[in-house]
Amino acid sequence: MQSYSIEEINNILDGELVGNTTSQITGPEQLDKAENNHITFIGSTKYIKYWNSSKASAAIVNEKFTVEPGENRALIKVKNADLAMAKLLEVFNPPPPVFDIDIHPTAVVHETAKLGKGCKIGAGCYIGKDVVLADGVILYPNVTIMDETSIGAHTIVWSGTVIRERTEIGAYCIFHTNVSIGADGFGYRPSDDGRGLVKIPQIGNVIIGNGVEIGANSCVDRGKFSSTIIGDGCKIDNLVQIAHNCIMGRSCIMAGHSGLAGSVTLGDGVIIGGSASIKDHTTIHSGATIGAGSGVMGDVAAGKIMLGYPATESREMLKQWVALRKLAKQ
């Protein structure tokens, strides 16, 4: 088991060491679950009170907090405890699953596919006609990449993911298990005789930028005409739906169970809370935040914080909730 002294960890984090401990640190852990071989972190003042009862021998804390280390315990003070802990988690991160051979014999790779240097393809994968994988792409077992798709360097695709034809994916992306990229958009119209629904063909594709991460069981549908676009650096949680012809700017965040209906546009840095729903043909401008469970029915200005259903500017919605609570008590 890998272990570090508190001095070694402090050097990694470039923090200020307060107190000391002779315990070797074998990993990070939550305050209430930590043992004396663990380091924990305190990123909010509401958790300071739990430090004394924690068994952890060390903690990463924000430098502005007033905390005493205690006997044979140490604190590492940093500007941002959350970011410092993220850096430390990288140090203790176990290695990924091992490929005994680069391309498993049960993988089916079309003769026209082009594979870059260092690509790894697991058991049961399917690589279609004219697919291009850049250097260092990793496909874990049972991934399907359909025809004419391109994937940028060092992108990782986990098991069960299906990437449909003509998708364009950038470098250093991560797709977790059972992601669906490029399925048909949800398009139907009533038939002329009124007895059924006519499927609208979805002939576009999906374009995904660099550094995008998409969580397990999330779906990004192809465009009806042109492209559904996910901008550089976007982070998408599990069980998220992104419908046809949506456009996401750079570094947007979508939490679990949220969804974009067709042709929604997000600016840069938009945050969509869990279980929020965005109406079709809506634009949410850069820097806006949509609270969890909210329902957005119209365009949202840059930097606004929206809450509720239908979503309203946060201050106004909070006033409404207070008024309703007062009425309920009468």
Side-chain angles (χ1 to χ4, degrees):
M1 181 180 293
Q2 196 174 25
S3 66
Y4 296 88
S5 69
I6 192 62
E7 291 83 6
E8 289 173 323
I9 291 177
N10 187 54
N11 288 336
I12 292 169
L13 300 180
D14 193 24
E16 177 190 354
L17 183 60
V18 179
N20 200 6
T21 179
T22 56
S23 298
Q24 286 290 112
I25 307 299
T26 60
E29 188 51 272
Q30 295 173 207
L31 267 166
D32 58 336
K33 295 182 179 179
E35 299 295 335
N36 69 347
N37 59 323
H38 290 137
I39 185 170
T40 189
F41 80 108
I42 303 172
S44 171
T45 53
K46 66 181 180 181
Y47 295 112
I48 292 175
K49 61 186 177 182
Y50 300 115
W51 168 240
N52 288 337
S53 60
S54 176
K55 296 179 182 178
S57 59
I60 300 168
V61 300
N62 285 339
E63 61 186 6
K64 295 181 180 179
F65 293 171
T66 301
V67 191
E68 293 298 324
E71 186 179 354
N72 196 29
R73 304 175 91 193
L75 302 174
I76 296 176
K77 292 196 169 187
V78 294
K79 288 184 178 180
N80 188 311
D82 291 295
L83 292 179
M85 179 54 78
K87 186 175 183 180
L88 190 60
L89 284 166
E90 288 287 346
V91 173
F92 286 100
N93 192 18
V98 173
F99 283 77
D100 293 328
I101 53 177
D102 285 350
I103 301 177
H104 196 277
T106 62
V108 177
V109 181
H110 195 277
E111 61 183 8
T112 60
K114 297 179 180 178
L115 309 183
K117 296 179 180 178
C119 287
K120 298 182 186 297
I121 300 174
C125 288
Y126 174 82
I127 312 297
K129 181 176 180 293
D130 293 326
V131 167
V132 177
L133 304 184
D135 295 349
V137 170
I138 297 176
L139 308 181
Y140 284 99
N142 300 314
V143 167
T144 297
I145 312 293
M146 302 301 287
D147 301 0
E148 300 177 27
T149 289
S150 63
I151 300 180
H154 303 289
T155 286
I156 298 171
V157 184
W158 286 92
S159 297
T161 292
V162 177
I163 299 175
R164 288 278 300 274
E165 58 274 18
R166 303 188 306 281
T167 298
E168 300 174 24
I169 296 171
Y172 294 96
C173 295
I174 301 173
F175 300 100
H176 292 279
T177 50
N178 299 318
V179 167
S180 170
I181 304 293
D184 286 358
F186 191 67
Y188 299 90
R189 291 293 181 271
S191 61
D192 288 339
D193 60 12
R195 295 185 177 182
L197 296 171
V198 176
K199 180 177 174 62
I200 307 299
Q202 308 287 302
I203 65 173
N205 72 336
V206 175
I207 298 175
I208 295 176
N210 300 317
V212 172
E213 185 165 358
I214 300 181
N217 298 293
S218 290
C219 302
V220 182
D221 292 344
R222 70 172 63 246
K224 179 166 66 175
F225 300 120
S226 51
S227 303
T228 302
I229 300 174
I230 312 296
D232 291 349
C234 287
K235 309 300 179 185
I236 297 166
D237 198 359
N238 301 336
L239 297 166
V240 169
Q241 163 66 12
I242 298 172
H244 60 181
N245 292 104
C246 288
I247 298 175
M248 296 176 64
R250 296 182 302 165
S251 301
C252 295
I253 294 174
M254 292 187 66
H257 288 269
S258 61
L260 308 181
S263 299
V264 169
T265 299
L266 305 185
D268 295 340
V270 170
I271 299 173
I272 308 293
S275 298
S277 302
I278 315 301
K279 182 183 177 293
D280 60 294
H281 297 275
T282 296
T283 298
I284 301 177
H285 292 277
S286 295
T289 297
I290 310 301
S294 299
V296 175
M297 302 298 182
D299 292 354
V300 176
K304 290 290 186 180
I305 300 174
M306 308 294 286
L307 296 174
Y309 198 101
T312 304
E313 198 276 327
S314 59
R315 290 185 181 180
E316 178 60 31
M317 181 54 69
L318 289 170
K319 289 178 183 178
Q320 293 180 25
W321 288 343
V322 169
L324 287 170
R325 184 177 295 177
K326 289 179 178 178
L327 285 172
K329 291 180 178 179
Q330 290 179 357

mmCIF file of all heavy atoms in Angstrom, residues 14-16 18 42-43 60-67 76-81:
data_model
loop_
_atom_site.group_PDB
_atom_site.id
_atom_site.type_symbol
_atom_site.label_atom_id
_atom_site.label_comp_id
_atom_site.label_asym_id
_atom_site.label_seq_id
_atom_site.Cartn_x
_atom_site.Cartn_y
_atom_site.Cartn_z
ATOM 1 N N ASP A 14 2.094 22.102 -1.595
ATOM 2 C CA ASP A 14 2.700 23.430 -1.444
ATOM 3 C C ASP A 14 1.886 24.286 -0.475
ATOM 4 O O ASP A 14 1.556 25.446 -0.742
ATOM 5 C CB ASP A 14 2.814 24.130 -2.799
ATOM 6 C CG ASP A 14 3.724 25.357 -2.733
ATOM 7 O OD1 ASP A 14 4.580 25.413 -1.835
ATOM 8 O OD2 ASP A 14 3.552 26.257 -3.577
ATOM 9 N N GLY A 15 1.536 23.686 0.682
ATOM 10 C CA GLY A 15 0.742 24.384 1.681
ATOM 11 C C GLY A 15 1.576 24.818 2.868
ATOM 12 O O GLY A 15 2.807 24.767 2.850
ATOM 13 N N GLU A 16 0.889 25.226 3.924
ATOM 14 C CA GLU A 16 1.538 25.594 5.185
ATOM 15 C C GLU A 16 1.233 24.507 6.212
ATOM 16 O O GLU A 16 0.071 24.296 6.572
ATOM 17 C CB GLU A 16 1.016 26.941 5.680
ATOM 18 C CG GLU A 16 1.599 27.356 7.030
ATOM 19 C CD GLU A 16 0.895 28.561 7.626
ATOM 20 O OE1 GLU A 16 0.031 29.151 6.946
ATOM 21 O OE2 GLU A 16 1.195 28.883 8.799
ATOM 22 N N VAL A 18 0.891 22.953 9.753
ATOM 23 C CA VAL A 18 0.674 23.372 11.138
ATOM 24 C C VAL A 18 0.548 22.111 11.980
ATOM 25 O O VAL A 18 -0.289 21.250 11.712
ATOM 26 C CB VAL A 18 -0.596 24.230 11.277
ATOM 27 C CG1 VAL A 18 -0.809 24.629 12.733
ATOM 28 C CG2 VAL A 18 -0.515 25.448 10.379
ATOM 29 N N ILE A 42 -11.218 19.954 5.125
ATOM 30 C CA ILE A 42 -12.266 20.822 5.653
ATOM 31 C C ILE A 42 -12.359 22.021 4.722
ATOM 32 O O ILE A 42 -11.527 22.924 4.754
ATOM 33 C CB ILE A 42 -11.950 21.271 7.094
ATOM 34 C CG1 ILE A 42 -11.767 20.049 8.005
ATOM 35 C CG2 ILE A 42 -13.053 22.172 7.630
ATOM 36 C CD1 ILE A 42 -11.276 20.390 9.404
ATOM 37 N N GLY A 43 -13.389 21.996 3.886
ATOM 38 C CA GLY A 43 -13.550 23.058 2.892
ATOM 39 C C GLY A 43 -14.629 24.056 3.247
ATOM 40 O O GLY A 43 -14.836 25.033 2.529
ATOM 41 N N ILE A 60 -6.569 18.747 5.324
ATOM 42 C CA ILE A 60 -6.338 19.890 4.449
ATOM 43 C C ILE A 60 -7.433 20.902 4.756
ATOM 44 O O ILE A 60 -8.619 20.564 4.748
ATOM 45 C CB ILE A 60 -6.403 19.466 2.972
ATOM 46 C CG1 ILE A 60 -5.335 18.401 2.682
ATOM 47 C CG2 ILE A 60 -6.222 20.669 2.059
ATOM 48 C CD1 ILE A 60 -5.527 17.720 1.342
ATOM 49 N N VAL A 61 -7.039 22.156 5.071
ATOM 50 C CA VAL A 61 -8.042 23.157 5.458
ATOM 51 C C VAL A 61 -7.788 24.457 4.701
ATOM 52 O O VAL A 61 -6.657 24.763 4.303
ATOM 53 C CB VAL A 61 -8.022 23.433 6.980
ATOM 54 C CG1 VAL A 61 -8.304 22.168 7.763
ATOM 55 C CG2 VAL A 61 -6.692 24.039 7.415
ATOM 56 N N ASN A 62 -8.857 25.211 4.502
ATOM 57 C CA ASN A 62 -8.702 26.546 3.928
ATOM 58 C C ASN A 62 -7.902 27.425 4.876
ATOM 59 O O ASN A 62 -8.107 27.398 6.093
ATOM 60 C CB ASN A 62 -10.069 27.179 3.661
ATOM 61 C CG ASN A 62 -10.744 26.578 2.443
ATOM 62 O OD1 ASN A 62 -10.099 25.997 1.579
ATOM 63 N ND2 ASN A 62 -12.062 26.712 2.374
ATOM 64 N N GLU A 63 -7.004 28.199 4.331
ATOM 65 C CA GLU A 63 -6.046 28.956 5.143
ATOM 66 C C GLU A 63 -6.709 29.991 6.058
ATOM 67 O O GLU A 63 -6.131 30.396 7.061
ATOM 68 C CB GLU A 63 -5.021 29.637 4.230
ATOM 69 C CG GLU A 63 -5.608 30.619 3.245
ATOM 70 C CD GLU A 63 -4.579 31.163 2.267
ATOM 71 O OE1 GLU A 63 -3.435 30.681 2.292
ATOM 72 O OE2 GLU A 63 -4.925 32.061 1.477
ATOM 73 N N LYS A 64 -7.918 30.402 5.749
ATOM 74 C CA LYS A 64 -8.599 31.415 6.558
ATOM 75 C C LYS A 64 -9.295 30.827 7.782
ATOM 76 O O LYS A 64 -9.734 31.569 8.658
ATOM 77 C CB LYS A 64 -9.620 32.162 5.700
ATOM 78 C CG LYS A 64 -8.996 32.983 4.574
ATOM 79 C CD LYS A 64 -10.062 33.713 3.773
ATOM 80 C CE LYS A 64 -9.433 34.524 2.648
ATOM 81 N NZ LYS A 64 -10.467 35.237 1.837
ATOM 82 N N PHE A 65 -9.394 29.507 7.856
ATOM 83 C CA PHE A 65 -10.109 28.885 8.970
ATOM 84 C C PHE A 65 -9.238 28.855 10.226
ATOM 85 O O PHE A 65 -8.020 28.661 10.141
ATOM 86 C CB PHE A 65 -10.523 27.454 8.623
ATOM 87 C CG PHE A 65 -11.551 27.360 7.529
ATOM 88 C CD1 PHE A 65 -11.890 26.124 6.981
ATOM 89 C CD2 PHE A 65 -12.192 28.479 7.042
ATOM 90 C CE1 PHE A 65 -12.834 26.024 5.982
ATOM 91 C CE2 PHE A 65 -13.133 28.398 6.032
ATOM 92 C CZ PHE A 65 -13.455 27.167 5.501
ATOM 93 N N THR A 66 -9.878 29.025 11.365
ATOM 94 C CA THR A 66 -9.186 28.918 12.647
ATOM 95 C C THR A 66 -9.438 27.523 13.205
ATOM 96 O O THR A 66 -10.532 27.216 13.690
ATOM 97 C CB THR A 66 -9.691 29.981 13.625
ATOM 98 O OG1 THR A 66 -9.465 31.278 13.060
ATOM 99 C CG2 THR A 66 -8.957 29.875 14.953
ATOM 100 N N VAL A 67 -8.420 26.665 13.122
ATOM 101 C CA VAL A 67 -8.526 25.280 13.577
ATOM 102 C C VAL A 67 -7.218 24.908 14.267
ATOM 103 O O VAL A 67 -6.134 25.255 13.788
ATOM 104 C CB VAL A 67 -8.764 24.303 12.405
ATOM 105 C CG1 VAL A 67 -9.137 22.921 12.927
ATOM 106 C CG2 VAL A 67 -9.815 24.816 11.449
ATOM 107 N N ILE A 76 -2.753 21.009 6.984
ATOM 108 C CA ILE A 76 -2.093 21.635 5.840
ATOM 109 C C ILE A 76 -3.017 22.744 5.353
ATOM 110 O O ILE A 76 -4.119 22.478 4.853
ATOM 111 C CB ILE A 76 -1.819 20.625 4.713
ATOM 112 C CG1 ILE A 76 -0.837 19.557 5.200
ATOM 113 C CG2 ILE A 76 -1.265 21.336 3.490
ATOM 114 C CD1 ILE A 76 -0.577 18.457 4.190
ATOM 115 N N LYS A 77 -2.589 23.988 5.532
ATOM 116 C CA LYS A 77 -3.417 25.124 5.159
ATOM 117 C C LYS A 77 -3.125 25.530 3.712
ATOM 118 O O LYS A 77 -1.969 25.710 3.318
ATOM 119 C CB LYS A 77 -3.174 26.296 6.110
ATOM 120 C CG LYS A 77 -3.689 26.031 7.522
ATOM 121 C CD LYS A 77 -3.798 27.306 8.332
ATOM 122 C CE LYS A 77 -4.561 27.061 9.629
ATOM 123 N NZ LYS A 77 -4.826 28.312 10.374
ATOM 124 N N VAL A 78 -4.209 25.665 2.944
ATOM 125 C CA VAL A 78 -4.105 26.002 1.520
ATOM 126 C C VAL A 78 -5.175 27.040 1.177
ATOM 127 O O VAL A 78 -6.107 27.275 1.940
ATOM 128 C CB VAL A 78 -4.297 24.746 0.635
ATOM 129 C CG1 VAL A 78 -3.158 23.754 0.839
ATOM 130 C CG2 VAL A 78 -5.650 24.097 0.920
ATOM 131 N N LYS A 79 -5.063 27.644 0.002
ATOM 132 C CA LYS A 79 -6.055 28.638 -0.419
ATOM 133 C C LYS A 79 -7.412 28.001 -0.684
ATOM 134 O O LYS A 79 -8.448 28.591 -0.388
ATOM 135 C CB LYS A 79 -5.563 29.366 -1.678
ATOM 136 C CG LYS A 79 -4.417 30.333 -1.425
ATOM 137 C CD LYS A 79 -4.061 31.092 -2.687
ATOM 138 C CE LYS A 79 -2.939 32.099 -2.415
ATOM 139 N NZ LYS A 79 -2.566 32.860 -3.637
ATOM 140 N N ASN A 80 -7.413 26.807 -1.262
ATOM 141 C CA ASN A 80 -8.671 26.146 -1.616
ATOM 142 C C ASN A 80 -8.563 24.666 -1.282
ATOM 143 O O ASN A 80 -7.880 23.914 -1.973
ATOM 144 C CB ASN A 80 -8.977 26.356 -3.100
ATOM 145 C CG ASN A 80 -10.358 25.866 -3.492
ATOM 146 O OD1 ASN A 80 -10.750 24.751 -3.167
ATOM 147 N ND2 ASN A 80 -11.096 26.701 -4.210
ATOM 148 N N ALA A 81 -9.233 24.251 -0.210
ATOM 149 C CA ALA A 81 -9.118 22.857 0.250
ATOM 150 C C ALA A 81 -9.684 21.868 -0.759
ATOM 151 O O ALA A 81 -9.170 20.758 -0.901
ATOM 152 C CB ALA A 81 -9.837 22.700 1.592
#
